[in-house]
Amino acid sequence: MNIVTNKILGKWTEYTISNDHGISVSALDFGGIITKIMAPDKNGKLENIVLGYKDYQDYESNPHYFGAIIGRVAGRIKGASFELDGRTYNLEANNGENHLHGGSGGFHQIIWKVFPFKTDSEAGLKLTYKSADGAGGYPGNLDITVIYTLNNEQLIIDYLATTDQTTPISLTNHSYFNLSGNLKNTIHDHRVTIDSSRFVEFDKDLIPTGKLADVEGTPFDFRSGRILRTGFDHCFEQNLIVGNGYDHYFLFDHTSEFQAIIEEPDSGRMISVKTNQPGLVMYTANALENGLQLTESISRKHHGVCLETQGSPASLYNDNFPGILLNAGDRYEKQTIFTFQVLKK
């Protein structure tokens, strides 16, 4: 039976949606933050598979963006500015000289209106927010809806938006997955598959150079699956630049049924990702410091992997990237589906 429950946490509310198989997803109205996903392992044991804080007040600052909705634009915007129709728009420089994840007042820091729903086959949360013209430096009044829907096999995230002026928009969810369950291990032995033959090259400041690099013969070739530790331990320059791991945009080939797959051999858990987004940023928690009190454990570097399906902000200053501009009268409609599976014993 699909159900929705809620719990008041001071000025916030946490909602939990559950399905017939024991899978549940908990999310706050603050930031739309997914705080917990309970999923079975190969023996049927339910454990949490995402990173979250033990003390919910730590979400107030949330410098690692655990579980949050990111926007207006996910990722870094070079020089904290962009040009549109001959005008320069200046944004907050909250990541060195650059603008990251919508700035300090981005969608990860706002209270969303939440409307729970359920049917015979699914349960969900509809989150809405109106972002005013000029908010964060961005043009246009933007009406946003994000929908979390859980059925018996999948978590579906729909991102919908309209604007009255042309504006950049690229929404994503910043959940860190760890399929070992209850953060027992790091993600070194997670196996990831990505339907991508090109990734975006970084300079030393983690800003795209404009080059789409070929994955062939590099630790960025995930087309047939790769254990993450092979990139953590590699001396390849692009791995070293981001702190021995991955924080890169992969442009999808869209030649496979799923655009990405994560597998963890010990637990038998697997998540397949399907989306109409042009690519994803895979971030492997390279900058996650040791010692944070998480729900079930103390944080460590490489304790989770984010699969941030999104457009690339580099398209604002590179013509060879898929665009992220939404025009007045058009509708932003993006969807990402996470299918939960268990590998056979």
Side-chain angles (χ1 to χ4, degrees), residues 70-342:
I70 304 297
R72 286 190 188 189
V73 174
R76 293 177 183 85
I77 296 180
K78 179 181 178 181
S81 66
F82 63 93
E83 290 190 7
L84 181 60
D85 297 330
R87 177 178 171 183
T88 298
Y89 291 87
N90 293 308
L91 310 172
E92 178 190 4
N94 65 321
N95 184 246
E97 298 179 352
N98 308 305
H99 176 78
L100 177 67
H101 289 339
S104 59
F107 297 165
H108 65 292
Q109 284 288 305
I110 57 100
I111 301 287
W112 294 75
K113 290 183 179 179
V114 180
F115 304 91
F117 64 89
K118 62 178 180 178
T119 69
D120 290 341
S121 60
E122 60 190 25
L125 305 171
K126 178 181 177 182
L127 298 87
T128 65
Y129 182 70
K130 294 181 182 293
S131 179
D133 179 28
Y138 291 95
N141 294 294
L142 191 68
D143 288 324
I144 313 117
T145 298
V146 178
I147 305 171
Y148 297 147
T149 304
L150 181 68
N151 60 34
N152 275 346
E153 290 82 30
Q154 301 164 325
L155 170 63
I156 303 166
I157 306 182
D158 287 292
Y159 304 92
L160 312 170
T162 57
T163 180
D164 59 2
Q165 294 181 52
T166 300
T167 189
I169 178 173
S170 180
L171 306 180
T172 195
N173 178 272
H174 209 285
S175 289
Y176 292 67
F177 291 99
N178 184 320
L179 304 190
S180 69
N182 290 348
L183 307 184
K184 287 193 291 295
N185 302 308
T186 61
I187 56 168
H188 282 71
D189 294 319
H190 280 50
R191 181 180 179 86
V192 174
T193 304
I194 305 176
D195 179 23
S196 172
S197 57
R198 294 179 297 168
F199 73 97
V200 175
E201 182 184 78
F202 275 159
D203 66 17
K204 61 181 177 58
D205 297 316
L206 309 189
I207 294 298
T209 64
K211 178 182 178 182
L212 284 168
D214 193 332
V215 303
E216 184 72 35
T218 77
F220 286 73
D221 190 351
F222 287 89
R223 291 173 294 183
S224 298
R226 175 182 289 273
I227 303 298
L228 287 175
R229 73 164 62 245
T230 63
F232 301 164
D233 299 337
H234 211 286
C235 60
F236 189 64
E237 183 184 16
Q238 287 294 306
N239 292 115
L240 298 178
I241 280 175
V242 298
N244 301 94
Y246 301 91
D247 191 11
H248 295 73
Y249 189 79
F250 290 80
L251 189 65
F252 294 138
D253 295 337
H254 281 291
T255 56
S256 301
E257 179 183 1
F258 298 104
Q259 280 64 66
I261 298 170
I262 323 173
E263 303 167 74
E264 205 283 321
D266 288 344
S267 71
R269 294 185 179 94
M270 179 170 76
I271 295 178
S272 302
V273 182
K274 189 172 186 176
T275 183
N276 61 352
Q277 292 277 20
L280 65 75
V281 170
M282 182 170 70
Y283 174 56
T284 51
N286 319 308
L288 180 61
E289 65 268 35
N290 296 334
L292 297 179
Q293 181 62 63
L294 304 182
T295 310
E296 301 89 4
S297 181
I298 301 297
S299 68
R300 289 180 279 168
K301 182 177 180 176
H302 298 146
H303 221 154
V305 55
C306 302
L307 298 179
E308 305 162 54
T309 57
Q310 61 180 78
S312 173
S315 64
L316 294 173
Y317 43 90
N318 287 289
D319 292 337
N320 59 330
F321 291 81
I324 60 169
L325 295 179
L326 179 66
N327 296 316
D330 290 344
R331 187 171 172 85
Y332 180 86
E333 294 182 307
K334 301 297 182 182
Q335 183 183 75
T336 298
I337 301 172
F338 299 93
T339 299
F340 302 98
Q341 297 165 280
V342 177

